[in-house]
Every structure is written in C-alpha cells, then in structure tokens.
Amino acid sequence: MLRTDVPGWPTVFRGSWAVRAGLLSPAQVKGARFLRVYPDVYVPAGTVLSLRVRAQAAYLHMQHRGVLSGYAAAELHGAGCAPGADTVPDVTVPGGGIRVPSGLRLHRDTLREDEITAVDGMAVTTPRRTAFDLARWAPSRNEAVAAVDRLANHCAFGPAEILQLDWVHPALRGCARLPEVVDLADYRSGSRPETLLRLLLHDSGLPPPEVQWVVQDVVAKEAVWIDLAYPRRQVGIEYEGAPHVEADQVLRDIARTTMLTDRGWRMLRFTKNDVFRRPEYVVATVGRALRAPR
C-alpha cells in the first residue's frame, strides 16, 4: 500500500522518503520529472524556485537540525524583503558540526526558545528575531533598514524593539550598526522599494519626507495615503511597483492623482528603473519640485 504521508509530497520532498514510501522508484526520482534543489530534496520539473520554495527545501534538507532565518524567515512570515530573486536561504544552528551544501547560508548563532516559532510546520525565527538578524546580516545599511521596515510593518511591532535583543545577545556579529538602522527605520513604510526611495532622498541631503501622509477629501468623504510627502510644499512622491500596472489599479491611480492635483499637490511617480538605475534623476527631480514656487 502506498504511503502518502511523506512531508512536503508532492511539491517539495526528500527523494529517499518518497522511494521508501513506494511513491517513486530511484530512477523516477532522478529522472526528468523532478528537479533537485538540495541533496535528496526535489520539486516537480518546471517549479519556480522562489525563495519560499527554496526555504521549504532547505528545511527538509536540514531535517530539524536548524531554524530558517534571515530573508527566508521574512518570506515565510509574509514580509518578503529579499534584495533579489536569487537570494540564498539562511539557516541558523547553535554551535558547529554541521555543513550545508551550496545554495544555503549557515549562521552559528544563539537562539532562545522564545525567538523560534513555527510556520507551516517549519521552525522559523520570530518576526522580531528575523528583523534583528537582517539588521545585522543585510548586505548594506539601506537593505537592513528596508528589512526592518517590512517586518515591522507586516508583523506590527516597533523597530526599536529589536534593540532589546541586542541587550540579550550583545556579542553577536553586526550589532554595531543596529542603532543607526533603528534610527532610520519607519514601520509605516509600505514596501522595500519605498524604504530605499526614502533613504535615497535622506542620503542625498534633501529634507526627510513624511511617510504615508494622509490627504482627506472632505467632499467625497474619503482619504488617500501618499507614499512619501513634503506637506508644506505639497509635493507627493509615489513608488509605482508591479501592482500599479494592473487595469483596475491604473484606474484608481488616475482618480487619486487627479484628486491630489486638484487639491494643489504636485505628484512625482517613480518606478524601479528610476530608483535602482538612475537615482541621480530621482534626487534632481525631487529637488527641483521642492525649490519650485507653489
């Protein structure tokens, strides 16, 4: 009789477990139907190897010997903030004696019991511990702030709360930059690109903008939120990500831009090409808008 209680089957599974359960033969596991992610961990051919899928594969590979952390944990908490699609899953283990294959990043850090939770049956660092780790591990200060913003926004906690973990784990690598990261973080930020846009303006020397500024339309009895705003100059800045090209969202964006323009706002809308490929254009455009007469 076939067993169907193989963890992760049939989306992410250990090949040896599927063979023992009678679901596949050794030849079938290594055939064209499946793709190996890590040693003995497979997914159906054609599966998009998203960070979530690779995190699930990493957890199966570790077989309860580690805790998913960093960008993988953020993804599983629903607060995805990885810098790229090829971001490597992080796994934290206490002590040494464990080796991981290529495509995994190992951290030998101390984890307290209350810093570990379960997501879909996998051991994952809690949102606060994940933010604490990414504030230390992220490849740059700005990416660290973006990660803390995203987790704090989605999981509803104040960025300053991660400093409590610094008191508990004062000797861990990377703690020196925590105060600056927390000082720049803002839990109201709506996305990673939004945070990076805000930090771009900050680092250029422009005045710090307000985050998620509310403009009320008393007549229509509704309110809109501007990603970043200079209320005294009535300059609004929006980051237009992928959802803004969907038909319904385009119509909503047109209506809100018209309403804000009618109220005297000058709206600047930037895309990923602007923020990541020509940041000097963004800074110059915002600077001109702030200097222009109202």
Side-chain angles (χ1 to χ4, degrees), residues 157-268:
F157 64 87
E161 293 180 37
I162 69 173
L163 294 176
Q164 298 170 8
L165 296 179
D166 187 19
W167 303 332
V168 176
H169 306 286
L172 293 184
R173 174 178 56 86
C175 284
R177 77 176 179 186
L178 284 177
E180 181 184 16
V181 169
V182 169
D183 186 56
L184 290 170
D186 193 314
Y187 74 93
R188 296 170 297 175
S189 182
S191 66
R192 168 180 168 268
E194 203 174 295
T195 294
L196 296 178
L197 173 55
R198 174 170 61 85
L199 294 176
L200 170 63
L201 301 178
H202 172 276
D203 292 341
S204 73
L206 289 172
E210 298 287 347
V211 179
Q212 293 298 321
W213 184 260
V214 182
V215 178
Q216 295 183 335
D217 187 335
V218 178
V219 176
K221 296 183 179 179
E222 61 182 19
V224 298
W225 281 259
I226 303 175
D227 292 344
L228 303 170
Y230 294 95
R232 293 184 63 184
R233 302 298 302 168
Q234 282 195 291
V235 173
I237 304 167
E238 299 271 62
Y239 178 81
E240 306 292 7
H244 291 271
V245 300
E246 296 174 3
D248 289 344
Q249 187 61 50
V250 169
L251 295 178
R252 288 193 291 269
D253 287 345
I254 290 172
R256 61 184 263 122
T257 300
T258 300
M259 185 274 278
L260 289 167
T261 303
D262 184 55
R263 297 286 297 275
W265 284 82
R266 179 174 182 176
M267 298 301 299
L268 307 177

Side-chain angles (χ1 to χ4, degrees), residues 201 206-207 230 268 281-292:
L201 301 178
L206 289 172
Y230 294 95
L268 307 177
Y281 162 77
V282 175
V283 173
T285 302
V286 174
R288 283 195 297 271
L290 294 178
R291 292 190 299 270

